[in-house]
Amino acid sequence: MLTAEHMESLIRRYFDGCNDADVEGMTACFTPDAVHYFPPGMYGGAWRGARTIAENWAHRVATLGSAWTVDRVLTDPASAQAVIEWSHFRTAQDTVLRGDEWYVFDAGSGLIAEIRAYYASPLDPGRRELALEGFDYAGRGYPMTCPVPRPHPSQVTG
């Protein structure tokens, strides 16, 4: 059975692996078929597979001088899920990204099976839907239509 302590410890161990560019250490935190989802246009879409996730972050350390902090952690062992806030420092570009990640754990192994990353960033007016690229919202039961009927802006008179 998952515990809050195990979940937080594994997330922090994963981030330690990220900061150390430790591919083996990061890979050990994930199920082999883990998926890391990102917002549209970020990092070429979802990363699939524990080793792919680890190698891609190690590459960011080498090329961007990336370093991360875990700023907040909430865990729910009963649902095998956690959410964190983080900061990503890209020292080569002198930039900071901030965001949240939603974690889904494999209850049997206790490993991370999925991460859904949400970045704090300006609204992209060129996109109709601002959502994670490649994530099956409909298949996971997320609402696909507005729950309250609203007229299209072109139908509103003012």
Side-chain angles (χ1 to χ4, degrees):
M1 182 168 147
L2 288 173
T3 65
E5 294 78 16
H6 168 80
M7 295 166 77
E8 181 170 349
S9 174
L10 189 62
I11 291 168
R12 290 186 182 280
R13 190 171 66 179
Y14 163 55
F15 271 74
D16 289 344
C18 289
N19 284 326
D20 295 338
D22 178 0
V23 171
E24 297 306 320
M26 284 184 275
T27 299
C29 296
F30 292 96
T31 60
D33 60 346
V35 181
H36 195 318
Y37 293 97
F38 297 97
M42 297 291 300
Y43 308 122
W47 294 346
R48 298 181 184 280
R51 187 153 205 90
T52 297
I53 294 167
E55 288 174 349
N56 283 336
W57 286 135
H59 177 73
R60 272 30 182 216
V61 171
T63 59
L64 299 174
S66 291
W68 296 265
T69 59
V70 176
D71 305 328
R72 305 271 187 285
V73 179
L74 294 173
T75 61
D76 183 18
S79 70
Q81 299 180 84
V83 65
I84 70 166
E85 284 185 316
W86 49 259
S87 298
H88 176 182
F89 298 86
R90 294 169 151 191
T91 60
Q93 298 173 333
D94 195 28
T95 60
V96 179
L97 298 172
R98 299 192 195 277
D100 293 336
E101 288 179 339
W102 193 276
Y103 286 74
V104 177
F105 289 78
D106 175 70
S109 67
L111 298 174
I112 300 165
E114 178 179 283
I115 301 174
R116 300 189 308 257
Y118 299 91
Y119 287 64
S121 62
L123 183 66
D124 181 347
R127 290 190 170 270
R128 185 179 163 273
E129 181 179 7
L130 299 165
L132 295 173
E133 191 167 19
F135 186 75
D136 184 10
Y137 285 92
R140 298 279 186 104
Y142 284 80
M144 301 306 293
T145 58
C146 181
V148 179
R150 301 273 190 239
H152 188 273
S154 65
Q155 298 170 332
V156 176
T157 59

